[in-house]
Amino acid sequence: MNERTCIVTRRAGEPDGLLRFVVAPDMSVVPDLKRQLPGRGCWVSAERIHVEEAARKNLFSRAFKAKVTPPEDLGGMVDMLMARAALGSLGLARKAGQLVMGAAKVDSAIRSGKAALVLHALEASPDGVRKLDQARRAVVWQEGPSIPAYKLFSEAELGLALGGTNVIHAAVLAGDTGKAVLKRMVALDRYRGGSPEDRMMLAATGDHDDAAEDME
């Protein structure tokens, strides 16, 4: 297998679609999300089911040709690290002035085409999400950008990352910081089994009647 081939699926891929793991001095398996740790690494497709399968089937020992020990909950550890990185990038976006909070400001950012992505807290009401989805569809109807939306964090997690309380809806604005946030959200969503591509397609091909009604 070449250097960037998943040890589970045996398929080669680009680094952004794979997770790198290395062996620590105590022979434990360590995730290397930034791909900067020294030593020989192995790669796993960047989805939790593949990480857990690699640990369950002892594929790391085969890949490293040594008796290594993955942490008991390696899948959960990777999730925590990816979530921490994603929330940290949100904090940087807020400090850079590239993030807005609150349904009204998010709606405005969507309709102006300034939003790079939308975030809903896990506790967000279906009605609140629906209204912002209408705005996203309306933008696409008017041949604007397809803006992805994610529901990955609790209200408490978003509030802690953004220095506020009751953070239910937020939008990250387009720009360099926004691109960095989007990259991490896409990665986390994919790791948890979501499909941002499907969500973007839904926004692009959503109910035109709803969009037309919303623009009246």
Side-chain angles (χ1 to χ4, degrees):
M1 293 189 298
N2 65 38
E3 183 183 3
R4 290 176 179 169
T5 297
C6 172
I7 64 173
V8 178
T9 67
R10 302 298 177 111
R11 291 195 297 266
E14 295 298 321
D16 285 346
L18 297 165
L19 297 170
R20 185 175 186 262
F21 294 85
V22 298
V23 180
D26 63 358
M27 300 305 290
S28 63
V29 177
V30 178
D32 179 22
L33 300 188
K34 294 183 178 180
R35 303 189 286 272
Q36 295 177 344
L37 294 178
R40 176 173 174 266
C42 72
W43 300 80
V44 179
S45 294
E47 297 176 37
R48 184 165 181 161
I49 57 172
H50 296 310
V51 172
E52 292 179 340
E53 183 177 352
R56 184 176 66 254
K57 294 183 176 179
N58 201 29
L59 298 181
F60 289 109
S61 290
R62 183 188 303 174
F64 288 114
K65 296 182 172 63
K67 185 176 176 58
V68 299
T69 306
E72 185 173 341
D73 184 18
L74 182 59
M77 175 190 291
V78 173
D79 186 286
M80 179 191 69
L81 292 173
M82 294 180 73
R84 183 183 299 169
L87 289 169
S89 68
L90 278 180
L92 292 177
R94 179 184 64 83
K95 292 178 181 178
Q98 289 190 284
L99 183 141
V100 296
M101 295 176 282
K105 290 183 179 179
V106 171
D107 186 279
S108 177
I110 293 171
R111 293 180 186 279
S112 67
K114 294 179 180 179
L117 70 144
V118 174
L119 293 172
H120 305 296
L122 295 176
E123 299 88 345
S125 70
D127 185 59
V129 173
R130 178 184 61 79
K131 289 178 179 177
L132 293 176
D133 283 347
Q134 284 183 346
R136 292 167 56 224
R137 287 195 294 268
V139 170
V140 174
W141 177 258
Q142 295 174 318
E143 301 184 352
S146 179
I147 302 168
Y150 298 95
K151 207 173 186 180
L152 298 168
F153 302 108
S154 68
E155 176 186 349
E157 289 174 313
L158 289 175
L160 185 62
L162 299 176
T165 57
N166 300 319
V167 179
I168 302 297
H169 306 287
V172 179
L173 306 183
D176 290 342
T177 304
K179 290 178 182 177
V181 175
L182 180 59
K183 182 177 180 179
R184 286 174 172 78
M185 295 301 168
V186 166
L188 180 60
D189 188 66
R190 179 177 57 210
Y191 182 77
R192 292 179 175 178
S195 176
E197 292 80 11
D198 287 348
R199 295 179 187 184
M200 291 175 72
M201 182 63 69
L202 179 62
T205 61
D207 190 313
H208 286 183
D209 291 336
D210 282 351
E213 178 182 347
D214 190 56
M215 287 188 292
E216 290 180 355

